[in-house]
Amino acid sequence: MKNQAKIEARNVNFYYGSQIALKNINIACEENKVTALIGPSGCGKSTFIRTLNRMNDVIPGIKIEGDILLEGENIYHPKVDIAVLRKRVGMVFQKPNPFPKSIFNNIAYGLRINGMRDKRKIEMIVEKSLKEATLWDEIKDRMDENAFSLSGGQQQRLCIARSLAIKPEVILFDEPCSAIDPVATAKIEELIHQLKEHYTVIVVTHNMQQAARISDFTAFMMLGEIVEYDKTDKIFTNPSNTLTEDYITGRFG
Amino acid sequence: MRKKIFEFIGFFSLRVCLYIVLAFLFIFLYDIGSKGGGAISWEFISQAPRRGMTEGGIFPAIMGTFFVTMVTALLAVPMGMFSAIYLNEYAKQTRITRIIRLSIRNLSGVPSIVYGLFGVILFVNVLKFGTSILSAGLTLGLLTLPWTITASEEALKTVPNSYREGALALGATKWQSIRTNVLPNALPGMLTGTVLGLARAAGETAPIMFTGAAFFLPFLPRSFSDQFMALPYHLYVMATQHHAISQVRPLAYGTALILILFVLGMNMSVVILRYRLRKKRRA
């Protein structure tokens, strides 16, 4: 059996009102790999990644055509429960967005809204998630402090731990490092690298070096289209498309 | 150098404006405090008026205002908050919602006497609640609603969208995200706006004049369909309608002072409540 893609877009068009934002997107992201989306600002990277957990649904006036398949099933099928989908496809946002709660309650939040009541189980998962997000050692004695007391990089790792807690299959990162400093960025990159062991990871990034460092596959997008999608090594050493080459060598963008 | 002079003049005039406002407030409070303070005694706040309201206290008016404000709150607090939640969180932002929002803002500018007359028609005559605490409270409730809705909506708007998105991305339903992540953060602001609206309603005279407030009742209302005495209306009577106005002037000042304290008490309670909520949220 051929390796089925974990999450796949087929002929996807996306519109904000009458304006087209994504044109005929076809991409298959493999399980337990990191797929990076790069491209200049406004090329549709964030729009695309937000179609994968239907985060765009809240925006008025949008329209999507084509299929997005999670393990072969279309997530835009009318019978799909969006809450369940978003549990399977987690998301980490551009700016760290911890809730104004304690560190503990930030992680426990996702468990509680999904109906978990057992206190010991919640404590266990909180600890496990924080360890997985390599934050535990820094904050294990500060669990009752407000999450805003953490540094930007710690907040972002807290947000990662928060999505790990509900055991997603896919994690979407929408420019996760654009609002934090280089040292914290390095930690998060390392973390993303570790995460692919258990999760399928898709990362939107502005930073080409970052894509080269952390991803297995890279898609280069421009003006709402995927120009080239291939193994990261290939994209960065021997791209087939001259546009890709121009972009990664810094001739524009 | 010129810049510095301009800056000095600018700040100086801002400061003068503030001082003028404060001076008026101070004179106003001093006048009422000094002239009304003497009238206030335990008897004044615990007894009914006697001898054609030239003696005794204002206990029925205090209780009347308390009861009528309760009815107002029962209508305006839930309806206002729920409307604001619907308008800000659920309703699609279309031309119709914009018109609705604009109409609500405009309603808050309608003179209170108009609400009073509307209340007479709707509650007293059509719904047959009679001139009663219920009619007056509901009329005041309608008067308060635009303020409550607007203030609550503003409070909801201050909650960053990232709180909503963060919750949704964890598999929360829309209502879960609102209940657990939006409302707790908007509640202090919602309460503040709501109670300020209620305090304003508690001091209104025109809307209750035709809908339930009585000139003089020596006893307390026994149910919500009874008429009642109210502080603002009592003050109006003492100041303009009484047969011996100069004789009851101290009592009028005393009533004004109690009314101010009543409203101040409501505002203080919300400050305290807000402080407590904030402290709890921090954990």
Side-chain angles (χ1 to χ4, degrees):
Chain A
M1 194 181 105
K2 196 182 168 285
N3 213 353
Q4 191 196 23
K6 180 74 186 177
I7 191 161
E8 183 178 0
R10 279 193 195 156
N11 310 322
V12 169
N13 295 321
F14 187 91
Y15 305 83
Y16 291 112
S18 59
Q19 199 184 346
I20 187 157
L22 296 174
K23 281 177 240 167
N24 195 29
I25 300 288
N26 282 285
I27 186 171
C29 302
E30 281 184 35
E31 192 159 9
N32 294 30
K33 299 282 186 231
V34 177
T35 304
L37 302 171
I38 60 170
S41 300
C43 70
K45 310 176 295 265
S46 290
T47 301
F48 175 65
I49 203 171
R50 290 167 66 96
T51 62
L52 300 178
N53 66 344
R54 298 187 59 172
M55 216 58 206
N56 284 325
D57 285 23
V58 295
I59 303 166
I62 57 126
K63 195 176 86 179
I64 184 162
E65 295 163 351
D67 294 335
I68 291 187
L69 308 175
L70 178 62
E71 294 191 325
E73 289 184 30
N74 188 4
I75 63 170
Y76 281 88
H77 191 280
K79 279 200 180 140
V80 168
D81 181 341
I82 302 186
V84 174
L85 166 73
R86 290 184 184 144
K87 245 166 66 181
R88 295 179 64 191
V89 184
M91 183 167 227
V92 175
F93 295 85
Q94 189 167 356
K95 263 168 74 184
N97 63 341
F99 303 136
K101 303 171 188 289
S102 70
I103 293 170
F104 181 88
N105 283 331
N106 257 278
I107 316 276
Y109 180 83
L111 302 169
R112 292 199 184 115
I113 56 163
N114 286 302
M116 193 179 285
R117 289 285 167 268
D118 185 345
K119 268 195 182 159
R120 284 197 35 211
K121 210 167 160 194
I122 291 177
E123 275 170 24
M124 247 173 55
I125 297 177
V126 168
E127 181 177 338
K128 188 169 158 262
S129 312
L130 284 169
K131 279 181 176 159
E132 221 179 339
T134 64
L135 192 57
W136 175 253
D137 292 330
E138 294 163 52
I139 58 154
K140 62 183 169 207
D141 305 318
R142 305 166 52 188
M143 297 296 276
D144 294 327
E145 276 179 40
N146 193 295
F148 290 141
S149 66
L150 299 174
S151 72
Q154 287 174 324
Q155 286 185 14
Q156 194 61 304
R157 276 181 286 151
L158 181 75
C159 292
I160 295 173
R162 191 171 73 186
S163 31
L164 294 179
I166 53 170
K167 296 201 179 73
E169 300 160 38
V170 181
I171 307 179
L172 312 172
F173 289 86
D174 187 1
E175 296 192 37
C177 302
S178 63
I180 54 184
D181 69 77
V183 177
T185 298
K187 280 187 186 157
I188 287 177
E189 285 184 10
E190 200 186 316
L191 173 58
I192 290 175
H193 206 74
Q194 290 166 17
L195 288 177
K196 72 174 180 179
E197 205 176 308
H198 301 289
Y199 309 90
T200 303
V201 178
I202 301 174
V203 185
V204 164
T205 174
H206 226 89
N207 177 331
M208 282 178 283
Q209 285 73 32
Q210 184 172 64
R213 282 191 298 263
I214 62 175
S215 68
D216 303 292
F217 294 90
T218 298
F220 170 58
M221 291 182 71
M222 232 181 95
L223 302 172
E225 290 178 278
I226 293 185
V227 177
E228 189 169 353
Y229 174 48
D230 213 322
K231 288 205 164 113
T232 300
D233 292 344
K234 171 107 181 1
I235 292 267
F236 281 94
T237 54
N238 186 20
S240 335
N241 193 303
T242 47
L243 273 176
T244 316
E245 192 174 350
D246 288 352
Y247 183 71
I248 59 168
T249 52
R251 235 164 271 170
F252 74 94
Chain B
M1 197 56 211
R2 265 171 69 91
K3 270 207 288 196
K4 284 224 167 117
I5 293 172
F6 271 121
E7 180 158 325
F8 177 77
I9 295 173
F11 281 127
F12 185 75
S13 21
L14 294 179
R15 190 177 303 160
V16 167
C17 284
L18 179 67
Y19 286 165
I20 291 173
V21 171
L22 283 178
F24 273 117
L25 182 69
F26 181 76
I27 293 168
F28 173 75
L29 286 177
Y30 176 78
D31 186 49
I32 291 177
S34 62
K35 292 181 183 154
I40 290 180
S41 61
W42 176 244
E43 192 202 352
F44 188 67
I45 57 172
S46 65
Q47 301 274 317
R50 285 192 315 265
R51 295 194 178 205
M53 298 197 282
T54 54
E55 282 176 30
I58 54 166
F59 183 61
I62 295 175
M63 291 318 284
T65 289
F66 177 74
F67 288 134
V68 87
T69 305
M70 261 174 43
V71 175
T72 307
L74 283 177
L75 174 74
V77 175
M79 291 260 281
M81 285 188 179
F82 294 166
S83 307
I85 293 170
Y86 181 77
L87 210 52
N88 197 58
E89 305 291 326
Y90 285 98
K92 285 199 178 119
Q93 302 304 320
T94 61
R95 183 190 298 229
I96 293 174
T97 44
R98 273 199 298 278
I99 291 172
I100 290 176
R101 193 171 283 126
L102 191 69
S103 312
I104 292 172
R105 303 263 147 106
N106 281 333
L107 276 179
S108 59
V110 171
S112 57
I113 184 75
V114 177
Y115 278 96
L117 294 171
F118 178 76
V120 174
I121 296 167
L122 181 65
F123 299 120
V124 179
N125 292 339
V126 176
L127 295 175
K128 307 239 180 302
F129 294 156
T131 46
S132 60
I133 292 184
L134 190 62
S135 293
L138 293 176
T139 306
L140 288 177
L142 291 186
L143 174 93
T144 317
L145 266 176
W147 297 84
T148 328
I149 295 174
T150 307
S152 299
E153 227 196 323
E154 293 304 322
L156 287 168
K157 282 209 180 89
T158 61
V159 179
N161 231 340
S162 63
Y163 294 2
R164 296 181 181 86
E165 282 196 329
L168 292 176
L170 292 170
T173 61
K174 192 158 185 172
W175 170 239
Q176 278 179 320
S177 113
I178 292 170
R179 185 174 55 83
T180 58
N181 242 0
V182 178
L183 288 185
N185 294 294
L187 204 58
M190 289 171 99
L191 281 177
T192 309
T194 304
V195 175
L196 288 178
L198 285 179
R200 180 175 168 269
E204 280 287 351
T205 314
I208 58 173
M209 209 146 81
F210 313 120
T211 52
F215 189 85
F216 172 62
L217 282 176
F219 47 82
L220 294 180
R222 259 170 254 114
S223 77
F224 285 112
S225 54
D226 282 355
Q227 292 195 14
F228 60 99
M229 288 185 77
L231 286 171
Y233 186 57
H234 186 62
L235 177 57
Y236 169 71
V237 167
M238 298 294 258
T240 63
Q241 309 292 304
H242 201 272
H243 59 83
I245 284 181
S246 51
Q247 197 189 339
V248 296
R249 183 108 312 159
L251 294 180
Y253 269 106
T255 309
L257 187 57
I258 294 287
L259 180 59
I260 289 175
L261 290 176
F262 186 90
V263 169
L264 193 72
M266 283 176 77
N267 292 346
M268 283 309 288
S269 68
V270 80
V271 170
I272 293 166
L273 192 67
R274 205 155 93 139
Y275 176 75
R276 291 231 173 119
L277 279 174
R278 286 259 160 85
K279 222 163 121 186
K280 215 176 102 195
R281 294 289 308 153
R282 231 163 259 159

